Amino acid sequence: MAAQMPQVMATGDVLNEDSKGLLAPDATAAVRAPVMLVRGGDSPPILGAIHRGLAARLPVVEDVVVPGAGHMVPISHPDAVAGAIRSHLDRAGDLRAEAG
């Protein structure tokens, strides 16, 4: 399937070799905005480990797990993802208001 998707194949250097340095210890240090990570409950277990690793590096993070969804959760469960995004943006707005 991936061989039929040139966009996926073109990400090899970034995903497999971290050519952008996203895994460097300080790569996320400048991120101050609330971050929402989304994964399907039936996604490969490695995604949970990736989310935990990212969450440990980010100051404000929410890990959303959509039950019954796999790796393509935005496509297979768009309503659940849209609802999660809506809730996340509402909370982010609340945080901004509190910070004044």
Side-chain angles (χ1 to χ4, degrees):
M1 182 171 143
Q4 297 175 9
M5 302 170 135
Q7 304 91 323
V8 173
M9 299 305 290
T11 63
D13 287 345
V14 175
L15 292 177
N16 299 325
E17 299 172 24
D18 192 29
S19 63
K20 301 296 181 187
L22 297 175
L23 298 177
D26 62 347
T28 59
V31 177
R32 295 287 174 246
V35 173
M36 181 181 72
L37 306 170
V38 180
R39 60 190 164 104
D42 296 335
S43 291
I46 189 67
L47 290 180
I50 291 168
H51 281 209
R52 287 187 296 278
L54 287 169
R57 296 177 177 198
L58 295 163
V60 181
V61 65
E62 174 184 11
D63 186 14
V64 175
V65 179
V66 178
H71 182 63
M72 301 299 286
V73 62
I75 294 170
S76 64
H77 292 70
D79 292 339
V81 173
I85 292 170
R86 191 175 307 109
S87 295
H88 177 75
L89 291 174
D90 288 345
R91 282 189 296 280
D94 293 343
L95 289 172
R96 274 186 83 175
E98 290 174 13

